[in-house]
Amino acid sequence: AIQGAPDEMQENWTENYRIPRWRLVADQIDMALRDDFKMTDSMVLEYDLANVSALETQREARRASARADFTVGLVTRNEALIATGRAPVRGGDVYLLPSSAVEVPVGGLQDLSRNDVVAAELLGLASRGAKGMPPGEIQARGEKDKRELATLMERELVRELSALQSGVVSRAT
């Protein structure tokens, strides 16, 4: 290691000199040992760069990018794990979608499906802030929000049950 050199110099030196040299040496060892150890084409000898400290900045940038992409729903959990050099997990082919966000088409709420409108209304009730309100007012507002939420949920349940009932009646006739 170069003493007193900035991290960027260490990283640059490692990327542009060390890694290419290590690859050349690994290729030479690979060619020399391939026949002796009956190595198949899928077997490769190479240096493990996972613990090279000069590359830590790059690894952290990849991890941060993978976390950000997963957090906003751009990649699946497994894609984020693979991007950071980790193994995929069972059940990891899922996207994380922020519950505080609702997509609204350019045309506005009238272009949303009924379920999306209900979700937007529920999020609106849940996200109202109570910052700076006196405790009694917060409690009263909470009770009012609970009643509004219960009314909204009841209305949607009645609507869904009515649709289900008319479907059952039409199949029975």
Side-chain angles (χ1 to χ4, degrees), residues 11-88:
E11 189 175 326
N12 190 29
W13 176 255
T14 300
E15 285 180 28
N16 295 312
Y17 179 75
R18 289 178 174 163
I19 292 175
R21 295 280 280 196
W22 291 336
R23 287 189 177 135
L24 283 172
V25 171
D27 288 345
Q28 290 172 351
I29 294 171
D30 184 79
M31 287 189 303
L33 298 178
R34 188 160 286 282
D35 291 336
D36 294 344
F37 288 93
K38 296 176 179 51
M39 293 173 60
T40 65
D41 289 340
S42 64
M43 299 170 80
V44 178
L45 284 173
E46 61 184 16
Y47 283 93
D48 179 5
L49 305 178
N51 294 316
V52 176
S53 61
L55 301 176
E56 184 58 34
T57 304
Q58 288 179 1
R59 285 191 294 273
E60 181 50 41
R62 275 195 306 277
R63 286 190 295 267
S65 176
R67 273 192 306 271
D69 287 351
F70 175 64
T71 302
V72 297
L74 292 176
V75 298
T76 65
R77 176 177 286 123
N78 278 341
E79 288 169 332
L81 289 170
I82 291 167
T84 60
R86 298 180 185 132

